[in-house]
Amino acid sequence: MKGVVFTEFMDMVETSFGEEQLDLLLEEADSDGVYTAVGTYPHSEMVNLVVVLSKQTGKPIGELLEFFGNYMFQSFTRLYPSFFKEATTSFDFLERVEDYIHVEVLKIYPEAELPRFQTHRISDKQLQMIYKSERSMGMLAVGLIRGCLQHYQETGDVIIEGESEDGSHVTFLVEIE
Amino acid sequence: MNEIERLRRKLAREKAARKEAESILERKALELYEANQELIAVRDRQSLELKKRIAEIKSKERVYRNIVQNASDLIYTCDVQGNILYANNTMITQSGYSKEKLIGSNVRNYIPDKYKDKIHNFYRFQFEQKIESTYIEIPVLTANGETIWLGQTADLAIGNEATFNVLARDISDRKRVEKSLMISEEKYRSIIENMELGLLEVDREGMIVKAYPKFCKLTGYSNDELKGKDSVKVFLTEEAREKMRKVNDSRLNGESGVYELRIRRKDGTYCWVMISGAPYYNEKGQVAGSIGIHLDISLRKEMEEELIEAKKTAESSLIAKDTFLANISHEIRTPLNAIIGISELMLRSSLNDEQRNYLETIISSGDNLLQLINEILDLSKIQFGKLKLREESVDLLKIMEHIHRSFQVIGSQKGLKLDFEHDLEENQGYFLDGTRLKEVLFNLVGNAVKFTEKGSVGISVWRSRLHDDVDVISFTIKDTGIGIPEEDLEGIFGTFEQASNTHESGAKGTGLGLSITRGIIESMGGELQVSSKIGMGSTFSFAFPLRRTTLLKDESSGEIDQNDVSRLKGTRILVVEDAKVNRFLIRNIMEPWGVSMREAVNGAEAIEKIQEESFDIVLMDVRMPVLDGIQATKKIRTELNLSEIPIIALTANAIHGEKEKCFDAGMNDYLTKPYTQKDLLAKLLQYAGTKANNDNAAGHINLEGLNTLTQGNEDMKLRMVQLFIDETEKYIEQLHTAIAESDLERMQDIAHALKASVAHICSKEVLTSVRSVELDKVAQEEKIQAGKAMINLLEKSINELRVEFSF
């Protein structure tokens, strides 16, 4: 997993739960906390951090992931503003994730492991997104999507239509008003 | 944990993270660098490769450009509007336009007006339909105003811009050939369609494929009526079909031929055609059928038939004329014979001078008439090539001298000199027809004398040896007379023609003479030639080969030998002749000879008489009613079985083959009317001997002749016999010598010398023997044998004489 996820996660923990919480988290997770955005670290470490955080904060993992997803999206808008210039609606943007954004990402970080998305615009107000990833972080995806809606100032919701048992395949339905 | 600790730890974490990022950065930078280097290397490699490739392409391009530039075909490219972008050298040279003019110009400019739109539409269609490649033949105007035809393939290339890549070939020649072929085809088609000769095409089985207009016209059918029909069934009769099948077979074998056929028209009438047939071949070279050209020869066939008819008519009329001539001559000669004969008889009786004169005139006129008839007959014989020469041993020199003498008299009366020069030997005989030669010479010399008023007539006879026994004798008769105009030279030989009578002598012949003379000379193997100049004279000449022989005893005197006559005494002769006059004549001639004569008027009576009496000789006229001479002779020979008795034919001898018929029927000899008394006597003597001989068959002497000769004078008889014996014995000795020396000539001379006396005293057998030794041309051995036989017979004769006369 790309280092940017870790650095953003730590920033989120710091801003949302305090510096102390961060220390605690790092200590219990047995992580040195040394993460650079350009680096690559084992996915299992992230999972571990989320699990420990969930235990320490008492918040469910899914909720934490969703919250993180939203937070990260906002970070992305600050870090990579070029990605957001051409898309004018959330649907536009979501449709571009697979074919454009992730492609650009791979250019710079060829070894990045990114989830696969398939989009079907059912109507003006409905978008189906199918998520495939071995890391099974579907809730993170939800958070990102919500973050996207928020960024484009659209009111709507995202629900999970279907999900495989191991969580590697998830079908989201995004509805806006 | 205090805040500073936390901050210190955060800082440491940040630092560490930063360091890690830097390291990652460095690593990435290095990767980048290396990737870059690789890229540069690749780029450089590729650049090199590119350069190489470009060079290759450039060089290939040069090659192709060269090919294209100089291809024998016109190669050009143009845009879809037709503006020329590129033109190769060939295009430039062939079109005659410069490169500058061509490039950028529109193709339309070079196309003749009436083709512009059509071609434009053609290529627009190709472009719109995106057809990859098309072919079209178009006319193009060259710079010098000519029109050439191009066969061009245009490929549509759709690249950045669409272009037409065109490959064109000059097909003007082919177009020209096509055109002239078309014209030629048209010409021939027109010829065939309109030919006067009818053309018929049939396939291999003889089924009609096509009948051309004139053929249809000829036969009355239309092409449609004939198509598919069996030509043989439609046109031919049964007989012609077989012929046709044979012709067809040869046609299938690839042979051509010409033949005539009778074909049936639609309306049932027939016509004759000449067909020239030839096979024709399909593209594989096999016989596909035949073509026949029919020419209507009905008219010609008609003419042919008419001609054949005419020829038959002419031939039969020729035969009729021939027969008529023969009959006529017989009819004329018989009374003529009587006139002359009786006149001659009358001459013997006592007449006064006036009567004698008249009679001689009658005889002379009769002779002239006879001669005329003979000439006419001769001429017709000559015309039919039937002139027969009677060749015998003749003293040529004597004949020439006789003629010379005769004409000298006539010539001197006119004041002419008659010259005769020759190189003939004395007493040299030649085998020829003396009578005919005399005719010729009489005619030519006679003409010469007739047509010469002053000067001379020269006769020359020269001989040159050709073989051992053949001389070529050339005769020339030259006169200094009035001459013959050049334009008449050929004509004088024509019958009844004479040279123009512009001279004063008024001389003319019967008009037959020269043509007969020429005919006789030709029969003898020569050619009569004449050269003449008006006022200078004429020269007639001819020559032929003659065989040398020994001369026979001179029998040219015309008088009757009384010795001979007496030998006929008592001979029994039957005369069979239907003409009363002729019987009268013969009777009057023969009675003084002491013969015993009986008469019969026709063949039937003759047979009756022969059965009643025995005769020594029968004189048989050929043409008689009831039973003619030929039939009668046959009967005598076969039914009466009398083969011995001599039968002599009395013939007019006019018809070719009559003599042969006589001999075939069994006659022994013939006498040609009119015959002289001498002729008759000689013939009778020839055959009278037979009977006389039969009486004296045993002996070798015949004293009748001697008795007659000596007229009962015993003393003379004795003396003659003694003389004979002495002489003969001497000759016998000489003969022995001659035989021993094989001197054949000597033998012949001896025999010749003995002949006369033997004829008077000895029998026929002896005489025959002597004659054979003298005359027969046989091999040496045979001659010697004959000589020995002759000696034998002579000795026998002498012995018998001794006995008879008690010597």
Side-chain angles (χ1 to χ4, degrees):
Chain A
M1 185 172 263
K2 277 308 331 163
V4 68
V5 180
F6 288 88
T7 52
E8 289 303 311
F9 186 73
M10 288 211 324
D11 276 348
M12 179 206 76
V13 168
E14 206 173 32
T15 47
S16 307
F17 296 99
E19 290 172 9
E20 260 186 67
Q21 178 59 54
L22 185 61
D23 272 351
L24 276 166
L25 175 62
L26 290 172
E27 210 180 311
E28 191 177 330
D30 194 21
S31 162
D32 62 8
V34 176
Y35 299 106
T36 166
V38 299
T40 308
Y41 307 96
H43 172 250
S44 56
E45 269 186 48
M46 174 54 71
V47 171
N48 191 32
L49 283 170
V50 171
V51 164
V52 169
L53 186 63
S54 166
K55 188 173 137 198
Q56 282 181 349
T57 60
K59 296 227 189 282
I61 294 176
E63 195 184 307
L64 282 174
L65 280 177
E66 193 182 325
F67 182 75
F68 176 42
N70 201 336
Y71 178 86
M72 197 159 62
F73 193 87
Q74 307 311 322
S75 302
F76 283 156
T77 63
R78 283 192 309 274
L79 287 169
Y80 310 108
S82 57
F83 287 148
F84 300 89
K85 280 206 188 102
E86 283 164 34
T88 50
T89 67
S90 58
F91 278 10
D92 282 347
F93 181 82
L94 289 170
E95 279 164 353
R96 290 164 63 84
V97 168
E98 175 70 23
D99 295 326
Y100 175 55
I101 293 167
H102 283 183
V103 166
E104 292 298 313
V105 169
L106 279 168
K107 281 183 190 170
I108 305 172
Y109 303 108
E111 68 280 10
E113 291 165 333
L114 298 165
R116 309 298 303 277
F117 284 107
Q118 263 178 304
T119 56
H120 303 287
R121 202 191 283 228
I122 298 168
S123 70
D124 287 348
K125 304 203 185 290
Q126 280 179 318
L127 181 73
Q128 186 191 64
M129 273 184 95
I130 301 170
Y131 162 92
K132 282 188 196 143
S133 175
E134 284 170 12
R135 289 156 296 287
S136 308
M137 296 196 126
M139 289 317 293
L140 187 62
V142 173
L144 285 164
I145 293 169
R146 284 204 210 255
C148 176
L149 289 171
Q150 197 182 312
H151 170 73
Y152 283 98
Q153 291 162 353
E154 291 167 17
T155 352
D157 204 5
V158 52
I159 54 167
I160 295 177
E161 273 191 337
E163 191 177 356
S164 70
E165 228 184 87
D166 59 2
S168 61
H169 287 64
V170 187
T171 310
F172 302 105
L173 184 65
V174 185
E175 273 183 286
I176 56 170
E177 286 161 26
Chain B
M1 133 145 45
N2 66 28
E3 221 169 297
I4 300 173
E5 267 310 309
R6 265 206 311 274
L7 282 169
R8 219 182 265 140
R9 271 205 300 276
K10 187 172 175 181
L11 196 67
R13 281 200 311 268
E14 292 296 320
K15 234 170 139 172
R18 182 173 50 90
K19 282 222 164 50
E20 197 182 320
E22 283 162 0
S23 135
I24 290 173
L25 209 70
E26 278 171 4
R27 187 165 50 83
K28 282 234 160 40
L30 190 65
E31 274 175 24
L32 209 65
Y33 171 78
E34 274 164 8
N36 217 31
Q37 287 301 103
E38 231 177 87
L39 272 172
I40 289 171
V42 167
R43 185 203 66 189
D44 285 343
R45 243 196 334 269
Q46 282 195 341
S47 178
L48 217 66
E49 191 71 24
L50 192 67
K51 276 205 183 85
K52 202 164 77 174
R53 289 284 161 82
I54 288 176
E56 268 175 29
I57 287 174
K58 271 215 167 78
S59 123
K60 277 221 173 80
E61 200 197 39
R62 256 199 305 281
V63 169
Y64 290 132
R65 192 203 306 273
N66 236 351
I67 291 174
V68 166
Q69 276 294 96
N70 301 308
S72 56
D73 293 333
L74 291 76
I75 300 178
Y76 66 96
T77 57
C78 61
D79 63 21
V80 291
Q81 270 75 41
N83 300 310
I84 298 173
L85 304 169
Y86 161 79
N88 76 343
N89 284 346
T90 310
M91 172 121 166
I92 293 165
T93 47
Q94 291 272 46
S95 68
Y97 300 107
S98 68
K99 186 165 168 187
E100 293 69 38
K101 172 102 176 37
L102 282 173
I103 308 286
S105 67
N106 196 292
V107 175
R108 259 179 95 93
N109 298 344
Y110 306 105
I111 295 184
D113 289 338
K114 65 175 185 180
Y115 287 89
K116 278 193 196 330
D117 287 335
K118 180 170 153 200
I119 293 170
H120 176 89
N121 291 337
F122 180 84
Y123 282 111
R124 177 152 49 152
F125 183 78
Q126 176 180 4
F127 175 64
E128 283 171 0
Q129 301 298 318
K130 302 282 181 278
I131 301 171
E132 210 178 300
S133 181
T134 61
Y135 177 81
I136 190 182
E137 292 176 2
I138 59 171
V140 164
L141 299 162
T142 63
N144 57 8
E146 285 172 13
T147 305
I148 58 172
W149 277 83
L150 297 180
Q152 68 179 24
T153 305
D155 293 344
L156 181 60
I158 305 187
N160 291 344
E161 288 157 14
T163 57
F164 282 110
N165 298 328
V166 183
L167 186 86
R169 186 160 290 171
D170 186 346
I171 54 166
S172 307
D173 283 341
R174 174 160 70 79
K175 276 286 188 217
R176 239 193 311 273
V177 166
E178 265 175 27
K179 184 156 180 209
S180 67
L181 207 76
M182 217 165 63
I183 291 175
S184 162
E185 238 178 53
E186 182 51 39
K187 171 175 149 196
Y188 285 117
R189 196 180 60 79
S190 160
I191 287 174
I192 288 177
E193 289 284 327
N194 297 305
M195 219 162 45
E196 267 309 313
L197 311 170
L199 204 80
L200 184 69
E201 262 182 59
V202 299
D203 66 16
R204 286 179 65 92
E205 275 78 44
M207 298 299 153
I208 296 170
V209 171
K210 180 167 178 185
Y212 285 72
K214 282 299 182 307
F215 183 85
C216 295
K217 192 163 149 203
L218 174 68
T219 55
Y221 291 99
S222 74
N223 184 26
D224 291 326
E225 284 172 324
L226 291 175
K227 233 156 72 160
K229 299 281 190 311
D230 185 342
S231 59
V232 168
K233 287 213 175 63
V234 172
F235 297 118
L236 299 182
T237 55
E238 274 303 322
E239 322 88 63
R241 276 175 203 179
E242 194 40 50
K243 182 174 181 185
M244 208 46 216
R245 295 230 183 279
K246 290 208 180 77
V247 164
N248 272 345
D249 286 342
S250 79
R251 195 71 62 252
L252 289 174
N253 282 334
E255 292 165 28
S256 312
V258 178
Y259 50 94
E260 292 177 7
L261 265 190
R262 208 164 75 109
I263 62 172
R264 188 170 46 219
R265 290 203 187 89
K266 183 176 179 184
D267 62 7
T269 60
Y270 287 86
C271 65
W272 275 92
V273 286
M274 173 147 58
I275 306 177
S276 170
Y280 69 85
Y281 299 89
N282 59 19
E283 65 278 2
K284 295 195 197 114
Q286 302 157 328
V287 176
S290 57
I291 297 185
I293 298 180
H294 300 68
L295 177 65
D296 186 349
I297 55 166
S298 306
L299 208 64
R300 196 196 80 183
K301 270 288 187 210
E302 258 179 57
M303 272 169 56
E304 255 178 43
E305 267 152 35
E306 275 172 23
L307 269 170
I308 291 173
E309 272 309 307
K311 181 172 165 231
K312 280 202 198 121
T313 312
E315 273 173 1
S316 65
S317 85
L318 223 73
I319 292 170
K321 177 174 152 201
D322 205 15
T323 316
F324 172 73
L325 251 157
N327 287 344
I328 277 286
S329 88
H330 174 80
E331 298 304 315
I332 292 177
R333 279 197 229 218
T334 303
L336 203 49
N337 215 16
I339 293 172
I340 298 172
I342 292 177
S343 305
E344 275 178 356
L345 276 176
M346 270 185 78
L347 270 179
R348 285 199 221 162
S349 62
S350 56
L351 303 164
N352 63 33
D353 285 338
E354 200 186 346
Q355 285 166 327
R356 193 164 287 272
N357 253 354
Y358 290 152
L359 216 49
E360 275 166 4
T361 309
I362 291 174
I363 291 172
S364 147
S365 300
D367 277 338
N368 282 347
L369 203 53
L370 202 60
Q371 188 187 342
L372 187 61
I373 292 176
N374 284 343
E375 281 182 356
I376 291 175
L377 220 61
D378 275 351
L379 196 63
S380 89
K381 274 190 221 161
I382 286 169
Q383 278 178 344
F384 292 118
K386 289 174 195 161
L387 190 69
K388 286 243 155 63
L389 296 172
R390 289 203 245 157
E391 288 160 326
E392 49 183 357
S393 175
V394 162
D395 189 334
L396 181 60
L397 184 55
K398 275 225 169 55
I399 290 176
M400 298 311 304
E401 282 169 348
H402 173 63
I403 289 175
H404 181 221
R405 271 198 307 274
S406 309
F407 281 99
Q408 241 174 354
V409 173
I410 301 171
S412 69
Q413 283 172 2
K414 282 178 93 170
L416 300 173
K417 220 156 71 81
L418 247 298
D419 297 321
F420 175 45
E421 47 174 4
H422 69 94
D423 64 349
L424 296 171
E425 300 153 299
E426 295 261 351
N427 289 318
Q428 174 59 53
Y430 288 96
F431 207 61
L432 58 90
D433 186 336
T435 317
R436 293 296 187 182
L437 181 62
K438 274 188 226 163
E439 257 181 67
V440 163
L441 289 165
F442 261 97
N443 180 244
L444 291 173
V445 179
N447 280 348
V449 168
K450 218 185 302 181
F451 290 102
T452 306
E453 289 308 309
K454 59 176 166 59
S456 63
V457 171
I459 307 170
S460 332
V461 179
W462 306 112
R463 69 174 181 93
S464 57
R465 179 143 281 186
L466 189 65
H467 293 314
D468 282 341
D469 58 349
V470 176
D471 288 342
V472 174
I473 314 282
S474 54
F475 300 78
T476 310
I477 294 104
K478 188 174 156 82
D479 67 60
T480 59
I482 53 173
I484 305 165
E486 201 175 310
E487 58 267 21
D488 287 341
L489 273 180
E490 248 315 296
I492 53 171
F493 293 106
T495 57
F496 301 114
E497 280 185 46
Q498 296 145 26
S500 44
N501 294 340
T502 53
H503 50 77
E504 289 136 16
S505 65
K508 39 184 200 232
T510 56
L512 286 176
L514 269 180
S515 57
I516 295 174
T517 297
R518 182 164 73 159
I520 293 172
I521 291 171
E522 273 170 16
S523 313
M524 289 177 156
E527 197 188 321
L528 179 60
Q529 291 174 326
V530 56
S531 65
S532 179
K533 213 169 170 123
I534 294 266
M536 304 279 286
S538 317
T539 304
F540 285 79
S541 57
F542 58 95
F544 33 67
L546 290 175
R547 198 148 58 85
R548 295 158 70 91
T549 75
T550 42
L551 281 175
L552 291 178
K553 171 180 167 186
D554 180 17
E555 291 164 14
S556 59
S557 109
E559 286 163 7
I560 305 271
D561 188 348
Q562 285 308 315
N563 290 333
D564 291 334
V565 168
S566 63
R567 282 166 54 210
L568 273 184
K569 204 181 172 104
T571 315
R572 294 163 300 189
I573 302 180
L574 174 64
V575 175
V576 189
E577 166 68 64
D578 65 322
K580 192 165 171 189
V581 144
N582 286 344
R583 289 202 303 275
F584 172 72
L585 255 175
I586 291 183
R587 199 179 322 129
N588 277 296
I589 293 172
M590 290 208 295
E591 254 167 22
W593 293 348
V595 305
S596 163
M597 185 173 133
R598 296 282 179 273
E599 290 171 17
V601 301
N602 57 48
E605 231 189 77
I607 287 175
E608 277 176 30
K609 289 243 155 63
I610 285 184
Q611 286 173 316
E612 289 164 12
E613 290 179 50
S614 62
F615 292 96
D616 297 320
I617 300 176
V618 176
L619 288 172
M620 181 88 77
D621 185 21
V622 175
R623 290 160 183 271
M624 295 176 293
V626 182
L627 194 67
D628 70 48
I630 307 268
Q631 298 301 325
T633 306
K634 277 191 186 151
K635 272 202 165 167
I636 291 171
R637 294 290 185 223
T638 56
E639 284 180 23
L640 299 188
N641 213 5
L642 292 170
S643 54
E644 292 293 317
I645 189 164
I647 303 178
I648 301 172
L650 303 170
T651 90
N653 199 29
I655 294 197
H656 171 64
E658 190 163 280
K659 246 194 293 179
E660 281 70 22
K661 278 200 204 134
C662 292
F663 285 124
D664 284 345
M667 291 179 166
N668 299 73
D669 211 325
Y670 63 91
L671 264 174
T672 317
K673 292 189 224 181
Y675 40 79
T676 61
Q677 293 186 20
K678 193 163 171 299
D679 289 340
L680 182 58
L681 180 62
K683 267 295 186 279
L684 290 176
L685 280 173
Q686 207 177 330
Y687 291 95
T690 329
K691 200 64 176 144
N693 253 359
N694 286 344
D695 289 343
N696 283 354
H700 295 89
I701 53 178
N702 179 0
L703 295 173
E704 273 185 35
L706 187 63
N707 289 338
T708 317
L709 202 65
T710 52
Q711 303 270 12
N713 190 336
E714 289 299 308
D715 209 21
M716 197 175 176
K717 214 194 310 190
L718 272 169
R719 263 210 296 269
M720 286 198 77
V721 170
Q722 186 63 59
L723 188 62
F724 172 80
I725 292 174
D726 289 343
E727 290 246 338
T728 307
E729 280 180 345
K730 274 199 205 122
Y731 278 128
I732 289 175
E733 254 186 58
Q734 287 179 18
L735 265 172
H736 277 304
T737 316
I739 287 173
E741 288 171 345
S742 298
D743 189 352
L744 298 185
E745 221 175 301
R746 185 87 193 105
M747 282 169 63
Q748 280 171 261
D749 289 344
I750 294 170
H752 179 76
L754 273 172
K755 196 168 62 174
S757 44
V758 163
H760 283 116
I761 291 182
C762 300
S763 67
K764 196 142 195 255
E765 193 190 341
V766 184
L767 182 60
T768 309
S769 168
V770 171
R771 266 207 172 126
S772 78
V773 171
E774 181 207 7
L775 290 175
D776 284 355
K777 286 186 173 355
V778 292
Q780 182 174 308
E781 209 28 54
E782 261 188 68
K783 196 66 142 195
I784 290 179
Q785 285 306 111
K788 286 187 180 162
M790 182 174 97
I791 294 176
N792 188 11
L793 285 171
L794 286 170
E795 285 173 354
K796 281 207 175 107
S797 307
I798 292 174
N799 284 342
E800 281 171 25
L801 279 168
R802 287 220 162 99
V803 165
E804 178 76 19
F805 290 97
S806 317
F807 285 166

